[in-house]
Amino acid sequence: LVSHGGREWAGRGSPLSSRSIPAVCTGTDMKLLRPSSPESHYETLRHLYQGCQVVQGNLELTYLPPDANTAFLKDIKEVQGYVLIAENQVSGLE
């Protein structure tokens, strides 16, 4: 694929729409290991999954603080590994 003017081209033919290529991200494999820094852990998760549609690997949501905004998960459509939601203080997921 070649990016040109904000659009992706698959070589010859017409440009591919942004919907034809899902945003793929890499999952995690930390299981229930406690993060050394809860603040950086949340920021890392937000950075990994913001705008992600397909998680290649595991989606592990652990040790989220009570005030965590989980809206960064809203675009996820598929997880190719397991989903782990544990040891969180946040009251709900968006």
Side-chain angles (χ1 to χ4, degrees), residues 24-86:
V24 177
C25 59
T26 303
T28 58
D29 192 23
M30 297 294 294
K31 304 206 176 21
L32 291 175
L33 289 176
R34 188 172 297 277
S36 57
S37 167
E39 296 81 18
S40 65
H41 176 67
Y42 169 75
E43 289 303 319
T44 298
L45 291 176
R46 191 176 61 77
H47 179 74
L48 276 174
Y49 300 124
Q50 183 77 47
C52 178
Q53 294 175 316
V54 177
V55 179
Q56 285 187 331
N58 309 319
L59 175 60
E60 299 174 327
L61 303 173
T62 58
Y63 302 104
L64 294 175
D67 60 343
N69 179 350
T70 58
F72 63 87
L73 301 169
K74 68 181 174 54
D75 295 323
I76 296 175
K77 306 282 186 249
E78 178 182 340
V79 177
Q80 296 175 345
Y82 62 78
V83 176
L84 173 64
I85 302 172

Side-chain angles (χ1 to χ4, degrees), residues 1-10 14-24 51-54 75 77:
L1 294 174
V2 177
S3 180
H4 178 70
R7 301 176 89 178
E8 290 181 327
W9 293 73
S14 62
L16 299 171
S17 74
S18 61
R19 293 179 186 222
S20 66
I21 301 174
V24 177
C52 178
Q53 294 175 316
V54 177
D75 295 323
K77 306 282 186 249

